[in-house]
Amino acid sequence: MDTGTLVPDGSGQFGGPVLTHESERPYRPGGEFQALDLYTVEIRLWQAHGPRGHRSPGRDIEAEAAAVIFDTLAKGIDNPMIHVSHTDKLVSASMPGKGVHDFPTGTTIYDWDQEKWDGYVVLDE
């Protein structure tokens, strides 16, 4: 879609495929897990044909557009969801009955950050 519909002053195209997420949990040493393990659908989004950054210092068009998509899905779908950036940074999560939670900068998908997830990540099947 046109990035400008998601982010003011954005240009270019934003989107990506919807994929089946395959967990790597069975291949990890016993007891290791990641926040992604029990989620089965993945939407990979990125900015194309336009700048990822903005003329304003520190503004990340790609991150802003992804947050708009996540927030829209969280409001419309009553399923647990997580928003991951750069393959391993946990940005936010939506949990039915709890709402949306934004994680502190630097929170990862790795089990050592489980306490920071605060019950907003699905850990049991």
Side-chain angles (χ1 to χ4, degrees):
M1 74 176 16
D2 179 3
T3 305
T5 62
L6 299 169
V7 178
D9 302 326
S11 63
Q13 298 293 310
F14 190 79
V18 177
L19 307 164
T20 299
H21 175 76
E22 300 290 334
S23 175
E24 296 174 3
R25 190 176 201 164
Y27 308 106
R28 286 193 210 104
E32 286 187 15
F33 59 92
Q34 294 181 0
L36 308 170
D37 285 340
L38 297 180
Y39 295 84
T40 58
V41 176
E42 179 178 351
I43 304 173
R44 292 186 185 172
L45 301 172
W46 61 84
Q47 168 75 348
H49 308 296
R52 290 184 176 181
H54 194 270
R55 289 171 286 194
S56 302
R59 190 160 169 218
D60 183 336
I61 298 288
E62 191 170 59
E64 288 181 35
V68 170
I69 298 289
F70 179 82
D71 290 343
T72 300
L73 290 171
K75 289 176 187 168
I77 299 174
D78 194 31
N79 287 334
M81 291 182 268
I82 56 176
H83 176 182
V84 176
S85 175
H86 298 98
T87 69
D88 69 345
K89 301 298 183 238
L90 196 53
V91 177
S92 53
S94 175
M95 183 67 71
K98 292 182 84 169
V100 174
H101 177 75
D102 295 322
F103 297 102
T105 301
T107 302
T108 71
I109 62 169
Y110 304 113
D111 54 9
W112 58 75
D113 275 345
Q114 180 182 357
E115 287 184 19
K116 294 179 185 177
W117 303 345
D118 195 27
Y120 280 86
V121 172
V122 176
L123 297 176
D124 297 318
E125 295 184 73

